[in-house]
Amino acid sequence: MVKENRIRKNEEFSRIISKRKSCANSSFVVYFDKRAQDHSRIGISVSKKLGNAVVRNKIKRQVRMMIANFYKFDEETHDFIIIVRNSFLENSFAENQLNLEKLIRKSYNR
């Protein structure tokens, strides 16, 4: 995932979360809003409850890989904030990827 496709500023995270449009399952919470730029962007948040910095960075890398496998940034119409939940660690990579893809597809129907 290219850096220009990431949401990194706290103000942008807050703006999207404050819209209160979300979907959730056991592994993720996904907040979404119409895209603000010419391409969609994604922000990833991992709580300190999930582990130390090494574990959190590994989770972020895995989520970015999941997104790269199915998400087309130029074609999509939303910006997303993905919050990782505790049960992420209990599931396999394939299960988590399937859960994330279902949530993002579900958000388009709302």
Side-chain angles (χ1 to χ4, degrees), residues 33-65:
D33 192 24
K34 291 286 185 188
R35 66 182 183 188
Q37 297 182 356
D38 58 342
H39 59 280
S40 65
R41 298 173 304 150
I42 294 180
I44 302 168
S45 177
V46 181
S47 172
K48 287 185 178 181
K49 293 178 185 177
L50 288 172
N52 62 14
V54 175
V55 173
R56 293 192 311 269
N57 286 331
K58 179 182 175 186
I59 292 169
K60 288 180 189 179
R61 284 193 308 272
Q62 288 179 345
V63 172
R64 282 195 295 269
M65 241 0 255

Side-chain angles (χ1 to χ4, degrees), residues 13 18-19 24 28 33-34 44 48 53-54 69 90 106:
F13 270 83
S18 69
K19 301 282 183 170
F28 301 100
D33 192 24
K34 291 286 185 188
I44 302 168
K48 287 185 178 181
V54 175
N69 289 336
E90 299 166 4
K106 184 178 178 182

Side-chain angles (χ1 to χ4, degrees), residues 66-93:
M66 292 174 196
I67 292 166
N69 289 336
F70 70 88
Y71 195 79
K72 307 284 189 257
F73 287 95
D74 294 335
E75 299 171 8
E76 304 295 343
T77 60
H78 289 82
D79 288 340
F80 292 100
I81 302 295
I82 300 169
I83 299 175
V84 180
R85 288 184 163 176
N86 289 338
S87 65
F88 177 90
L89 299 172
E90 299 166 4
N91 298 334
S92 70
F93 181 87

